[in-house]
Amino acid sequence: AIVRYVRSIRWPSPEQKNQAKTIHAMHGFDGAIGSIDCSYTYLRSSDRSRENFGHRRRFAFYHQIVSAPDGRILQYTIGAPGSWPDSRLYHNSPVHTARQELFNEGEYLLADAGYPLRSTLMTPFSKRNWVRRSANGPHGVFARELTKLYNHE
């Protein structure tokens, strides 16, 4: 069953991209085709190298998942050292290295502040003093709309 699921992971077709864009546009994200984020898997005792030490002072490896609004996994990268930040994993992943083949003009992924702002990544506003970071400010609006989108509200 796992092998069958892994084989179903693929970048969206033009029709699937259009469906995702329609859903994202209803929440103010015209051109978005999915979201991207990283997470950790903690290690108990296997690879305790210094490079895997980092997140919350524990040994871990890092993985990145790109998902569609309907929950399908579009791409994943797994096995990066736990000491890497989101931006480094992104720069070493196919989503970045093959971005010219994967994205059409105006298409992008929604990402959190751990990612760099790029033409293919929309991140929240930076945390500079001139940005009001209240529930009604840009950060709050971004977070609320993203939550609505992925909770199918």
Side-chain angles (χ1 to χ4, degrees):
I2 292 174
V3 171
R4 192 173 8 173
Y5 182 73
V6 169
R7 287 184 185 152
S8 72
I9 296 173
R10 62 179 52 92
W11 199 250
S13 67
E15 296 80 25
Q16 291 169 324
K17 281 183 175 183
N18 285 335
Q19 290 171 346
K21 286 184 211 178
T22 300
I23 292 168
H24 283 101
M26 290 187 301
H27 296 275
F29 299 109
D30 294 338
I33 60 171
S35 64
I36 185 170
D37 203 2
C38 291
S39 187
Y40 293 92
T41 299
Y42 294 105
L43 303 173
R44 289 190 181 220
S45 63
S46 57
D47 185 4
R48 293 185 151 246
S49 67
R50 182 170 178 80
E51 193 172 41
N52 285 331
F53 186 77
H55 187 255
R56 297 187 182 174
R57 297 184 178 172
R58 294 172 67 184
F59 290 93
F61 70 88
Y62 213 23
H63 45 93
Q64 173 180 272
I65 294 178
V66 177
S67 64
D70 63 5
R72 284 179 302 111
I73 295 176
L74 307 176
Q75 194 277 333
Y76 68 95
T77 304
I78 191 166
S83 60
W84 284 17
D86 292 1
S87 58
R88 184 170 179 191
L89 181 52
Y90 166 73
H91 281 104
N92 286 279
S93 74
V95 175
H96 174 71
T97 58
R99 66 192 177 280
Q100 293 175 337
E101 293 84 35
L102 297 175
F103 295 91
N104 296 322
E105 183 71 30
E107 293 179 344
Y108 59 89
L109 298 172
L110 298 170
D112 65 24
Y115 286 89
L117 179 61
R118 298 284 183 264
S119 63
T120 56
L121 288 177
M122 178 188 279
T123 60
F125 292 102
S126 80
K127 297 178 182 177
R128 300 193 192 281
N129 292 333
W130 55 269
V131 175
R132 187 171 156 233
R133 296 189 310 154
S134 70
N136 295 322
H139 287 280
V141 172
F142 183 86
R144 277 194 311 280
E145 288 302 318
L146 204 55
T147 301
K148 284 182 200 173
L149 175 64
Y150 284 93
N151 287 332
H152 304 289
E153 294 178 10

